[in-house]
Amino acid sequence: MNIDPFVRSLAKQKLNSEGIIVLRHGKKIAEYRWIPEAPRNSFSVTKSFISIAIGMAIDRGKLSLDSRLVDVLPEFARGAGKRLSALTLEHLLTMTRGHAAFSRPATAAESAAQPLKYRPGSRFVYDNGSAFLASAMFTRSMGINARDFLLDALFRPLGIADPEWPQSPDGHSNGGTGLMLTTSGLARFGQLLLQGGKWRGKQIVSSAWIESAGRPQTGTGLRRLDCDLGYGFYFWPSRHGAFRADGRNGQFVVVLPRHDAVVAINSDDPKPYPILYAVWDEILPQLRD
């Protein structure tokens, strides 16, 4: 693969990317680095790792999509209104818990206290608070927070050195942001997703969970390319039969099942989506050859 057209496209648009890796048929076919590789905040790609942790908990019978927040975390049941009482894990995973605005809670209690303006399941509003509560449900149901569980269940098998990942004062991995990963780590995560949750012959998470997480589970009402195709379980369905993990400043793990390919990108740019569009314009045509 010739990565130069992608590099020139980003340079022309003055986009600040740090590194890209393209895998096809399980092999690295292209790589380019603007700066030396180092772990960086993957921002909302973190949510996709929480999704995989949740899938593992469901595989083990510890949670289900119908699990109610107040059943798993009964400290929030006292005085809970009708909407909070009805809140399920599925509502959290699809960003439809009924909140009205984006939030960055520091604890599960802070997130649970956020007013629910809408009926759960009725409206998509992107948020860190929903992912925080999903992470808290994981901690309580599994008896270990997501980061510590994933060390042996995911990170080490994938060859990802024990990553930094902030823990809240109440003991939960921050579900919304903060997981520190290299571009190589993102690429290996993408390959796991492409392989339906299997790694070196071992089923890390069920293929059924990967399939469900990457397809639309709710509409978004957003009018931006690649954000208007619905939302999965902390993954974004994308054009060209793809789905992706997506971080605020241009961290992408793009999984392309039709082409047996993965594109992993680390960036630091406040305009992330032109970086994704350059993948469609400059990389995808070469995968069709």
Side-chain angles (χ1 to χ4, degrees), residues 41-212:
N41 189 347
S42 64
F43 291 102
S44 285
V45 170
T46 303
K47 296 179 177 70
S48 298
F49 280 82
I50 286 292
S51 175
I52 297 307
I54 292 290
M56 292 179 182
I58 290 175
D59 289 345
R60 288 160 172 76
K62 299 293 187 179
L63 286 170
S64 73
L65 291 175
D66 295 329
S67 295
R68 294 194 310 157
L69 176 75
V70 295
D71 292 334
V72 178
L73 297 163
E75 61 267 34
F76 300 138
R78 185 176 182 180
K82 183 177 180 181
R83 289 173 178 168
L84 185 63
S85 296
L87 195 62
T88 68
L89 180 60
E90 184 169 12
H91 296 137
L92 300 176
L93 290 168
T94 56
M95 302 287 184
T96 60
R97 65 186 169 111
H99 55 292
F102 185 89
S103 67
R104 294 184 177 89
T107 64
E110 183 180 328
S111 186
Q114 186 176 2
L116 300 182
K117 184 177 181 180
Y118 310 107
R119 175 177 54 83
S122 65
R123 186 173 301 212
F124 172 89
V125 178
Y126 194 79
D127 185 38
N128 279 4
S130 294
F132 200 108
L133 286 175
S135 181
M137 289 181 71
F138 177 91
T139 304
R140 186 63 57 85
S141 66
M142 295 291 286
I144 186 172
N145 68 35
R147 189 257 181 193
D148 291 347
F149 173 79
L150 291 177
L151 285 176
D152 286 325
L154 180 69
F155 294 129
R156 289 167 183 163
L158 265 59
I160 298 174
D162 300 1
E164 295 182 29
W165 188 350
Q167 178 176 298
S168 65
D170 50 351
H172 309 298
S173 300
N174 188 332
T177 187
L179 177 58
M180 303 291 289
L181 294 168
T182 64
T183 313
S184 295
L186 294 177
R188 286 192 286 272
F189 181 59
Q191 188 65 31
L192 172 78
L193 300 171
L194 182 63
Q195 294 171 178
K198 184 176 286 188
W199 191 259
R200 295 182 178 174
K202 181 180 179 181
Q203 198 71 43
I204 301 289
V205 63
S206 65
S207 60
W209 181 256
I210 301 292
E211 193 278 331
S212 295

Side-chain angles (χ1 to χ4, degrees), residues 13 19 98 122 131 144 183 187 249 262 267 279 284:
Q13 299 178 77
S122 65
I144 186 172
T183 313
N249 284 359
V262 171
S267 302
V279 171
L284 182 64

Side-chain angles (χ1 to χ4, degrees), residues 203-261:
Q203 198 71 43
I204 301 289
V205 63
S206 65
S207 60
W209 181 256
I210 301 292
E211 193 278 331
S212 295
R215 64 180 168 86
Q217 298 291 341
T218 187
T220 66
L222 300 175
R223 297 182 180 180
R224 185 172 62 219
L225 280 174
D226 294 296
C227 294
D228 58 353
L229 299 175
Y231 191 69
F233 296 144
Y234 299 158
F235 286 92
W236 292 90
S238 303
R239 288 177 284 168
H240 313 295
F243 65 97
R244 72 186 189 278
D246 183 326
R248 184 181 73 184
N249 284 359
Q251 298 76 43
F252 293 109
V253 180
V254 184
V255 182
L256 297 126
R258 293 177 185 173
H259 306 284
D260 195 23

